[in-house]
Amino acid sequence: MQKIIAANWKMYKTRSEAAQTARDLAESGVPANRRVVIFPPFTAIAEVADVFAGSTTVAVGGQDVYPASEGAFTGEISTAMLREAGASWVLTGHSERRHVLGEQDDFVAAKTSFALAQSLNVMLCIGETLREREAGQLQAVLRRQITTAFVRLPSDRLEKYFAIAYEPVWAIGTGKVAESAEVLEAHAVTRKTLCDIVGKIGCKIPVLYGGSVKLDNAAALIALDNVDGLLVGGASLAAQSFAQIVNA
Ligand code: PGA
């Protein structure tokens, strides 16, 4: 199975900076056992998509989307706008949207099902806070986040067009990577929940790990059971370090 290595550029890079990073990445190539998805800021999606036009291994996505076709939603972006700019993926439920911008499970679920139904591939982010982990709520939180998101999902699109990124909130941007045993446990819970809720197709949905992924831990993380890829933030900003992670 091809593993997915995703780059979340967050609110970094102007259009020209993003285009330069994309051109540098394009020179490195992608090994046959990897697929790459890059999530630039909205303003740079078209530039990055142009660099990878026609590529079968590198796709581009939006970091968020609003669950309506169009309307009076100041500051938001639609699936059609993302698609026309060259995005084929979208992230939903990233922990910074949940915890910095206050998005709740229901809103994340609405975005996830709307984007899938509108033919975007969706990478749904889930993960527990440190407080939830320390209170022994890991399993309950992951099950709740997955179950809520799946209530309205169009099941015919799940097999090919959906991925989950498990990102423990306490490991994002902190340099504190989860131990192998913690990743194994969380991915096993995620996998079991997906199999329970969705059945056979759920068992095949790729589950990525994210949270302080760097070159020195990428190879070990990607080799773990039930880890089908990586979602990389800080270490994806420089083309060279991200290319090394893709090749790890
Ligand atoms: P990080 O971010 O790699 O900088 O921890 C990961 C993410 O937020 O997706």
Side-chain angles (χ1 to χ4, degrees), residues 6 12 42 70 89 102 129 131 148 157 184 186 197 208 232-233:
Y12 292 99
F42 296 142
E70 60 183 358
W89 280 84
T129 62
R131 181 181 293 201
T148 321
R157 293 195 45 82
L184 283 169
I197 298 176
L208 284 64
V232 189

Side-chain angles (χ1 to χ4, degrees), residues 25-41:
L25 271 175
E27 277 175 22
S28 315
V30 176
N33 59 352
R34 298 282 185 263
R35 281 164 66 200
V36 169
V37 186
I38 302 173
F39 295 97

